[in-house]
Amino acid sequence: MEKRFKSNSNKYYFWVVMAIFLQATGAAGDQQKLLLSLAKRMMEKALAEKKFSTLEELQLYLQIREKQGKFEAARAVLVGELGTLRKVETDRKHMLLRYAKLVGTDDGAMFAEELLTEKLERSLQRAIFVRQAARVEILRRCGNLKSARDYESQLDPSLFQID
């Protein structure tokens, strides 16, 4: 289909790989190993030709490697250049922590610490936001609207960015 419709994207190629992967999930034994091996080789060919451009393509590769039990290979891809396809850094760190647990590496503690630090920072941002919102509400209820507007105009908008 890719040749027939002359698509610039590789979506048809990855559709084929996904179809093979889905067949492998329904298969058992040697047939499953064969289909997973085929899907893996096709994805590695795409990887070598630098055809990966979306998160979904990366996710498909990671699912194939997970199904094969090759967590170290999946982890290596996430740590490498392709890991940047995961736009949300917290998601990437969660996956790296999961793979570190499955593989048994020592860097899992580092990822866990980073995730906890980020959670703490977001909690502090929320607390500041709630405190500022409560202050505005108190000023409004007291009938001092001018002061409330003045206070609202002085709020730091960077503190309202909650993930």
Side-chain angles (χ1 to χ4, degrees), residues 78-118:
L78 273 179
V79 171
E81 183 182 321
L82 285 176
T84 58
L85 289 176
R86 285 194 107 27
K87 300 292 186 218
V88 180
E89 185 65 20
T90 307
D91 289 345
R92 190 177 79 80
K93 286 180 183 173
H94 274 287
M95 289 190 75
L96 286 169
L97 177 61
R98 185 168 152 251
Y99 292 145
K101 286 179 187 175
L102 291 169
V103 171
T105 58
D106 295 335
D107 58 353
M110 178 186 67
F111 294 123
E113 182 181 349
E114 288 176 11
L115 288 168
L116 288 173
T117 303
E118 290 172 7

Side-chain angles (χ1 to χ4, degrees), residues 10-71:
N10 298 305
K11 63 183 174 184
Y12 299 116
Y13 184 83
F14 290 107
W15 282 357
V16 169
V17 176
M18 184 61 168
I20 293 168
F21 175 70
L22 290 174
Q23 288 175 8
T25 58
D30 290 338
Q31 185 181 12
Q32 183 181 42
K33 286 181 184 178
L34 177 69
L35 290 169
L36 286 173
S37 177
L38 176 61
K40 178 197 72 130
R41 280 188 273 128
M42 290 178 74
M43 291 300 278
E44 286 179 347
K45 179 183 175 196
L47 186 62
E49 295 173 359
K50 301 193 183 299
K51 289 184 179 181
F52 278 60
S53 61
T54 66
L55 174 62
E56 291 78 13
E57 295 160 0
L58 173 65
Q59 190 63 36
L60 176 60
Y61 181 69
L62 294 174
Q63 286 177 326
I64 291 168
R65 298 307 274 175
E66 282 181 29
K67 192 76 171 167
Q68 289 180 317
K70 306 287 185 184
F71 303 109

